[in-house]
Amino acid sequence: MGAKLKVVSPVGEEVTRKITSLAPRLETLEGKTVCEIWNGGFKADVMFPIIEEMLRAQYPSVKVIPFTEFPATTITSMESLKKAGTLEAVRAALLEKGCDAVITGNGG
């Protein structure tokens, strides 16, 4: 037959990379800027306004910046060739808008 087979180990490859710590949790959202990022997943366009209303009820001085003011972060924009540019555009927008916290999903 002469067929060639490629065998892949299910154990996977060891990946060594620097682990970055998470930012410390904010004590309050009062007076903070919260930014919304949406990847086009399940109904965040419906849920974000509800989340914003709930945040404003608990933290009257919170500033919420909607997902519509940020670059699109769809699954296709995260393809390997586009990923670095997408992440940089989002990072720059978050910095420009002074975000203290980010909501990146809502669990549907």
Side-chain angles (χ1 to χ4, degrees):
M1 289 192 129
K4 289 187 177 183
L5 301 175
K6 182 176 180 180
V7 178
V8 180
S9 170
V11 176
E13 298 177 20
E14 185 174 327
V15 177
T16 305
R17 66 176 123 164
K18 182 180 176 183
I19 297 175
T20 305
S21 298
L22 297 174
R25 184 179 293 253
L26 296 172
E27 289 186 27
T28 182
L29 292 178
E30 197 67 53
K32 303 294 186 194
T33 299
V34 177
C35 299
E36 304 168 338
I37 303 292
W38 184 32
N39 70 356
F42 184 76
K43 297 204 182 273
D45 55 332
V46 173
M47 291 304 300
F48 275 140
I50 296 168
I51 293 169
E52 179 177 352
E53 182 179 321
M54 293 171 72
L55 286 174
R56 289 187 190 286
Q58 189 165 354
Y59 306 102
S61 67
V62 71
K63 178 180 179 182
V64 179
I65 301 178
F67 69 89
T68 54
E69 294 191 29
F70 291 93
T73 55
T74 61
I75 300 304
T76 56
S77 72
M78 297 307 271
E79 292 173 10
S80 60
L81 295 176
K82 298 177 183 178
K83 186 174 184 176
T86 298
L87 294 176
E88 178 54 32
V90 171
R91 185 192 72 78
L94 292 171
L95 288 172
E96 175 189 319
K97 295 185 184 299
C99 300
D100 296 300
V102 177
I103 302 172
T104 60
N106 60 48

